[in-house]
Amino acid sequence: MSIQLAVDWFLERGHRDITVFVPSWKKEQSRPDALITGYFASSGEGQDLGVHSVLSGPGSPGDDRFIVKLAYKSNGIIVSNDNYRDLACEKPEWKKLIDERLLMYSVCQRQVRKE
């Protein structure tokens, strides 16, 4: 549900090109937040809004690198509580991206709080 809240926060502010990376373990039906995958992956509503989801394996090593590359190429931001320290050392432009466009967050009582 926190992914849904974060996406809604950006949609309410007019953002329309949003990519969500959903770990494959969140797709498990026994999880209460499994509905998020269905909402973004198969709902026409999500696609009409420019929201796209990408399912990734459990902790795939290339996931972080792909996320940082995409944010850099699209001039986007990263909403994550991962600090990407290892990748910040790889390229100066990635360090700048991570320093300036990494938005950490917390969710409390269905409210998104930017850190």
Side-chain angles (χ1 to χ4, degrees), residues 1-79:
M1 216 39 159
S2 62
I3 295 171
Q4 176 74 52
L5 291 170
V7 168
D8 289 345
W9 189 88
F10 283 97
L11 290 172
E12 289 166 6
R13 284 152 183 81
H15 299 278
R16 293 293 180 256
D17 187 11
I18 300 170
T19 302
V20 177
F21 289 85
V22 182
S24 59
W25 57 266
K26 285 207 175 227
K27 187 178 177 185
E28 297 171 15
Q29 293 303 318
S30 61
R31 297 187 49 84
D33 55 355
L35 296 175
I36 193 73
T37 303
Y39 175 81
F40 293 122
S42 63
S43 168
E45 180 181 354
Q47 297 303 328
D48 291 343
L49 294 173
V51 177
H52 311 281
S53 71
V54 178
L55 289 175
S56 62
S60 302
D63 286 353
D64 288 352
R65 185 168 279 103
F66 184 79
I67 290 167
V68 171
K69 280 183 183 180
L70 179 63
Y72 179 75
K73 288 180 180 180
S74 64
N75 198 30
I77 67 164
I78 300 171
V79 179

